[in-house]
Amino acid sequence: MPISLSCPRITPATQIWVKPSAEMQFLYGNNVIKSGLGRITENTPAYTGCVVYSMSDVPLGFGVTAKSTDECRKMDPSGVVTFHQSDVGEYLRGESEI
């Protein structure tokens, strides 16, 4: 008789893609604003962890969504979409402290 293991349902991570003009801003530790938002996963809730990518699908770091997908569509271009948590540039900025 086969044994089955119950495991939690794995859902795809929330993903955000930033425009090339906003990549360096994110890599320097700034939040993602709507004018720099390229794409966002559909039905993303507010205050959810997300992976931030460049438009060429290169992972840049992690963040927390500030607004849901629907709220992002209605907000002004200077509004914060994602709060910065960590990025690939942190190693270089903190290298002297290691």
Side-chain angles (χ1 to χ4, degrees):
M1 177 173 266
I3 299 172
S4 70
L5 299 173
S6 69
C7 59
R9 181 177 171 202
I10 299 172
T11 58
T14 301
Q15 301 172 343
I16 290 182
W17 290 265
V18 294
K19 294 178 181 176
S21 60
E23 285 180 22
M24 289 307 294
Q25 293 175 2
F26 182 77
L27 292 175
Y28 282 121
N30 296 319
N31 298 327
V32 177
I33 59 175
K34 185 180 179 200
S35 63
L37 179 67
R39 296 187 317 225
I40 186 169
T41 306
E42 285 295 319
N43 301 322
T44 299
Y47 308 112
T48 302
C50 63
V51 180
V52 179
Y53 292 94
S54 68
M55 291 302 286
S56 56
D57 290 329
V58 175
L60 301 175
F62 301 100
V64 174
T65 58
K67 304 284 184 184
S68 67
T69 303
D70 293 332
E71 291 172 321
C72 287
R73 290 186 179 115
K74 300 172 188 170
M75 64 190 296
D76 64 327
S78 62
V80 175
V81 173
T82 303
F83 299 118
H84 177 274
Q85 291 293 308
S86 179
D87 63 74
V88 295
E90 284 189 42
Y91 171 76
L92 296 175
R93 290 192 303 272
E95 187 175 18
S96 61
E97 299 171 8
I98 297 177

